[in-house]
Amino acid sequence: MIIGVPKEIKNHEYRVGMVPASVRELINRGHKVIVESMAGSGIGFTDKDYLDVGAQISTKATDIFAQADMIVKVKEPQAAERAMLRHDQILFTYLHLAPDLQQTKELQHSGAVCIAYETVTDNKGGLPLLAPMSEVAGRMSIQAGAMALEKSRGGSGMLLGGVPGVEPGKVVIIGGGMVGANAAQMAIGLGADVVILDRSLDALRRLNSQFGSRIKAVYSTADAIERHVLDADLVIGGVLIPGAAAPKLISRDLVSRMKPGSAIVDVAIDQGGCAETSHATTHQDPTYIVDNVVHYCVANMPGAVARTSTFALNNVTLPFITKLAELGYRKALLADEHLLKGLNVMHGQITCDEVAHAHNLPFVEPKTLLN
């Protein structure tokens, strides 16, 4: 199989779909890998590094899309990239289609086989290709929130951990999954007062076992969210429903009543965000203010720590890339029910129920198309 690795073109996105070590694995198995020139430069890899492991280098993304049987990326394809996709070509990357109708329709129009990292599952019910980026984003959310609270950025001027004689800030984390647990770990490390809300009692028990009395694990209800958000200095939105748009748990009215100078870091923004006042921002212009509340809603947070993120992502994507290359997408998807969960769009049809529901579009059972 010919595998193409284009350079990411989203704003301040420095990650790359495959590092040289991953490319070497595929080439050793007899596949051909074409990498766009400078694709790995953002994390310190040169074209020579890729050439040394047997990759071919192309100076044009158009040539890669034209030749490759499978495109391996990190972020969702931008409009110019979607226009280059072709019928029956495999696209393997993060997609986050539920809040993005335009991308969904253009991927349908392309006829490509679009497999989303974020909906691939494992035998424990987890999301193994999303997990490492959730770990990164959760940890980064506290850094981002701490900066958003600085006075020069519109915040209240509070140091999250306080100092002797001054109380620390209150961090409220909505969602006790991978993002929430990693955010809590960082917030505790800074000395903040931490509350985590979740609707899963199993998750709350796990968090209580992990962190003990250093957090308050609270069952999530509308009343609990309102009570704790109104008292928060920093709110982390870490809610995820796999494949679906994030629920709007923080209303516009609630934001208007939050403490002036408080901050929201909406990690759920890739799936539309969990605050009604959230809209996607970029690393270049990461924050905006609504009702005196600073909002940080960068849609590719892990891109800021691109080297760590790329290696963490490659560790989990490589086995699936290898399987798709070795078997072809039909056999690979039919042989692996967890990879099959990643199939979102195929030959113009929506094959992910949550995406179809989000856009009120017809859903087609993926095995129907594959068979």
Side-chain angles (χ1 to χ4, degrees):
M1 183 177 283
I2 302 174
I3 298 143
V5 184
K7 183 177 174 65
E8 297 292 326
I9 59 174
K10 188 164 185 170
N11 179 273
H12 283 276
E13 183 52 74
Y14 304 107
R15 289 173 289 180
V16 62
M18 295 179 72
V19 297
S22 298
V23 170
R24 182 178 180 180
E25 290 290 320
L26 271 296
I27 289 173
N28 285 348
R29 291 173 176 267
H31 304 288
K32 178 179 176 181
V33 182
I34 309 173
V35 180
E36 187 174 355
S37 181
M38 305 297 287
S41 61
I43 59 169
F45 288 119
T46 64
D47 290 350
K48 183 177 183 300
D49 292 324
Y50 284 99
L51 289 168
D52 286 346
V53 297
Q56 295 185 16
I57 298 295
S58 175
T59 58
K60 295 181 180 178
T62 51
D63 292 340
I64 292 174
F65 278 82
Q67 295 180 61
D69 303 303
M70 174 165 57
I71 297 292
V72 176
K73 284 175 42 61
V74 177
K75 285 307 290 178
E76 70 279 358
Q78 304 301 289
E81 296 172 312
R82 298 195 291 268
M84 292 187 281
L85 291 167
R86 65 177 190 273
H87 181 79
D88 217 40
Q89 187 174 44
I90 303 167
L91 172 66
F92 195 34
T93 188
Y94 287 116
L95 291 176
H96 301 292
L97 294 180
D100 193 341
L101 179 60
Q102 182 177 353
Q103 184 193 178
T104 302
K105 285 189 169 293
E106 289 180 11
L107 291 182
Q108 284 184 280
H109 180 72
S110 74
V113 178
C114 306
I115 305 170
Y117 292 161
E118 72 273 9
T119 57
V120 174
T121 59
D122 61 23
N123 56 14
K124 298 178 181 178
L127 302 170
L129 306 193
L130 187 62
M133 296 304 95
S134 295
E135 290 171 337
V136 171
R139 295 183 181 210
M140 284 188 67
S141 69
I142 301 301
Q143 295 179 197
M147 288 191 294
L149 289 173
E150 294 177 8
K151 196 68 180 175
S152 62
R153 299 171 188 266
S156 62
M158 169 173 282
L159 182 65
L160 269 182
V163 292
V166 181
E167 292 184 0
K170 178 177 179 177
V171 177
V172 174
I173 302 168
I174 302 177
M178 195 68 72
V179 167
N182 280 272
Q185 184 175 340
M186 297 297 285
I188 290 167
L190 289 177
D193 181 14
V194 181
V195 175
I196 308 179
L197 298 105
D198 200 286
R199 293 185 69 88
S200 166
L201 288 174
D202 286 340
L204 295 175
R205 290 188 184 103
R206 170 178 48 78
L207 292 163
N208 190 67
S209 176
Q210 181 178 356
F211 298 115
S213 60
R214 294 177 294 172
I215 65 161
K216 299 177 183 69
V218 177
Y219 186 77
S220 182
T221 62
D223 181 77
I225 290 173
E226 179 174 7
R227 182 160 41 89
H228 287 288
V229 166
L230 289 178
D231 191 38
D233 297 294
L234 172 61
V235 176
I236 306 296
V239 182
L240 175 70
I241 300 174
K248 301 296 184 184
L249 300 179
I250 305 172
S251 68
R252 182 174 293 274
D253 173 68
L254 185 55
V255 170
S256 72
R257 293 184 286 129
M258 288 175 65
K259 296 195 308 193
S262 58
I264 296 172
V265 176
D266 201 340
V267 183
I269 195 64
D270 275 322
Q271 296 295 126
C274 62
E276 287 186 344
T277 47
S278 291
H279 63 76
T281 60
T282 66
H283 289 291
Q284 187 172 350
D285 189 15
T287 63
Y288 59 93
I289 297 174
V290 176
D291 292 328
N292 294 314
V293 176
V294 183
H295 291 58
Y296 179 101
C297 303
V298 175
N300 58 328
M301 287 178 67
V305 287
R307 188 172 177 87
T308 296
S309 297
T310 296
F311 278 102
L313 183 60
N314 268 228
N315 289 342
V316 292
T317 57
L318 181 59
F320 292 101
I321 296 169
T322 302
K323 183 174 290 188
L324 287 164
E326 297 279 272
L327 299 179
Y329 72 82
R330 288 185 187 274
K331 288 183 179 179
L333 290 167
L334 288 171
D336 188 338
E337 63 178 310
H338 300 299
L339 181 59
L340 183 62
K341 289 286 189 180
L343 185 64
N344 279 211
V345 179
M346 177 180 172
H347 298 168
Q349 304 294 326
I350 304 295
T351 54
C352 176
D353 194 24
E354 292 82 3
V355 173
H357 179 75
H359 299 308
N360 196 28
L361 292 170
F363 164 73
V364 176
E365 173 61 45
K367 286 186 179 179
T368 303
L369 293 177
L370 291 167
N371 287 321

